[in-house]
Amino acid sequence: MNKNGKLYAKKSLGQNFLVNPRIAERIAQNSVTEGCCGALEIGAGRGILTIALASCFEKVVAVEIDGDLIPELQANLALKNVKNVTVVQGDILKLDLHKLLETEFKGMNVVCVGNLPYYITSPIVTKLLESRLAVRSIVVMVQKEVAVRLCAPFKTPNISAISFCIRYHSVPQLLFLVSNGNFRPIPKVDSAVVKFRILETPAVRISNPALMFSLIKTGFSQRRKTLVNSLGKQLGLNKANLEMILAEFGIQAQARAEELSLADFAAITAACYQSGLTLQH
Ligand code: SAM
């Protein structure tokens, strides 16, 4: 709070605070995952969700980047007599999360939860998934439109490169919508809560996932172009050769990235890899 008693919020840190405790409780309850007694929270803010999580989990580790908020967060926890929360000041994108989990949650199964700062939703989700962090599920509140993209099924118009990363590592589910009036300051857009149940092994078996994700990113960076045009250039392949590879898997020469599934990309990647093709940078 500033000296006029007004709540301050740093726009640059995506600070739109949830002010409805019932929604915090609903997020916490939906984070409960069989066998998990630890919760890692991203962006604790003033602690509305932290307090709800503390009543559903044995231990909560709450990460918050903004040092100015930490005293208020600690005070709010103390006011509710919450004793099972460890507050960590840090940037979630820079912290060594493997080490944090190992030291803070020894022997516990963990879920990851957060009302994410909108400006870095994709980097956070990508970091959590790609690092194969030992968490059983991830429950995050994000902008509604982003939630729809994150959970988009293959071969539908909202699909994007990140949806492939999500479906490679997890099973996504859009849980519920939250209208913008539940936040302060009030954002322009509504939000939604999504849950990713982490798969024990990735959804497709592939020896070189890095090449597959490069192909996916290239395909979606020029999503209006046909794959033959977008990938051909990157792979240094002539159109006829690429058309042959696509045809081998029953994919039309005119197909675009959004018309393919993860299994299609895995098959194309394996064929490219076997022919000794790698991306030209
Ligand atoms: N959990 C609180 C709530 O629901 O009211 C706050 C949510 S607010 C949308 C996002 C929070 O993430 C802010 O408190 C912000 O300071 C914090 N944040 C922003 N960038 C961060 C980062 N890189 N690492 C950790 N926390 C971050």
Side-chain angles (χ1 to χ4, degrees):
M1 266 197 222
N2 67 18
K3 55 180 185 249
N4 302 322
K6 278 197 167 173
L7 294 179
Y8 78 80
K10 294 178 187 165
K11 216 174 165 185
S12 63
L13 290 177
Q15 291 180 353
N16 292 98
F17 299 106
L18 181 64
V19 290
N20 183 343
R22 283 197 306 278
I23 290 170
E25 281 154 23
R26 201 168 164 202
I27 297 172
Q29 281 153 9
N30 274 284
S31 309
V32 172
T33 303
E34 211 191 329
C36 294
C37 48
L40 171 67
E41 190 194 358
I42 302 172
R46 302 196 155 88
I48 190 167
L49 181 55
T50 323
I51 291 165
L53 289 169
S55 66
C56 293
F57 293 88
E58 238 172 70
K59 178 168 183 180
V60 178
V61 172
V63 176
E64 171 55 53
I65 197 171
D66 186 358
D68 293 339
L69 276 178
I70 304 282
E72 199 179 333
L73 171 61
Q74 304 273 29
N76 287 341
L77 295 173
L79 206 66
K80 297 277 178 185
N81 204 23
V82 172
K83 296 204 162 55
N84 55 340
V85 174
T86 303
V87 174
V88 174
Q89 190 193 343
D91 181 341
I92 199 73
L93 293 177
K94 293 193 182 141
L95 282 173
D96 181 342
L97 296 180
H98 290 281
K99 206 162 135 198
L100 187 71
L101 253 57
E102 222 177 272
T103 51
E104 294 289 343
F105 294 108
K106 232 180 189 83
M108 287 182 176
N109 289 319
V110 178
V111 300
C112 188
V113 191
N115 172 14
L116 295 189
Y118 294 157
Y119 74 111
I120 44 169
T121 299
S122 295
I124 293 176
V125 170
T126 308
K127 175 178 178 176
L128 297 175
L129 293 172
E130 283 185 350
S131 64
R132 300 247 1 126
L133 197 64
V135 294
R136 292 278 180 92
S137 59
I138 300 170
V139 176
V140 284
M141 179 145 64
V142 300
Q143 285 185 9
K144 188 174 87 183
E145 290 70 19
V146 175
V148 168
R149 268 211 308 281
L150 297 182
C151 298
F154 298 125
K155 305 183 187 192
T156 59
N158 286 313
I159 193 96
S160 64
I162 195 169
S163 335
F164 280 80
C165 171
I166 287 166
R167 285 181 184 270
Y168 179 70
H169 294 287
S170 74
V171 177
Q173 185 187 5
L174 200 155
L175 294 177
F176 56 92
L177 303 180
V178 181
S179 65
N180 62 351
N182 290 291
F183 302 88
R184 293 292 180 278
I186 300 179
K188 289 201 179 84
V189 290
D190 293 331
S191 293
V193 178
V194 295
K195 182 167 191 167
F196 307 124
R197 284 169 224 273
I198 307 298
L199 295 166
E200 271 178 36
T201 52
V204 290
R205 273 169 68 104
I206 180 148
S207 55
N208 45 357
L211 176 60
M212 180 175 77
F213 283 109
S214 296
L215 295 182
I216 291 171
K217 275 183 199 141
T218 303
F220 278 95
S221 66
Q222 302 164 314
R223 63 187 298 151
R224 291 288 123 218
K225 279 194 177 177
T226 65
L227 280 171
V228 169
N229 282 329
S230 59
L231 297 188
K233 202 166 165 210
Q234 282 275 333
L235 290 164
L237 256 187
N238 69 35
K239 282 188 181 184
N241 285 350
L242 191 50
E243 276 174 18
M244 251 165 55
I245 291 181
L246 295 181
E248 207 181 309
F249 302 107
I251 299 166
Q252 302 275 323
Q254 294 309 310
R256 295 192 297 250
E258 64 197 35
E259 294 166 59
L260 266 59
S261 68
L262 187 60
D264 292 330
F265 268 110
I268 295 171
T269 307
C272 291
Y273 192 60
Q274 273 159 24
S275 336
L277 295 167
T278 51
L279 286 175
Q280 322 259 306
H281 290 291

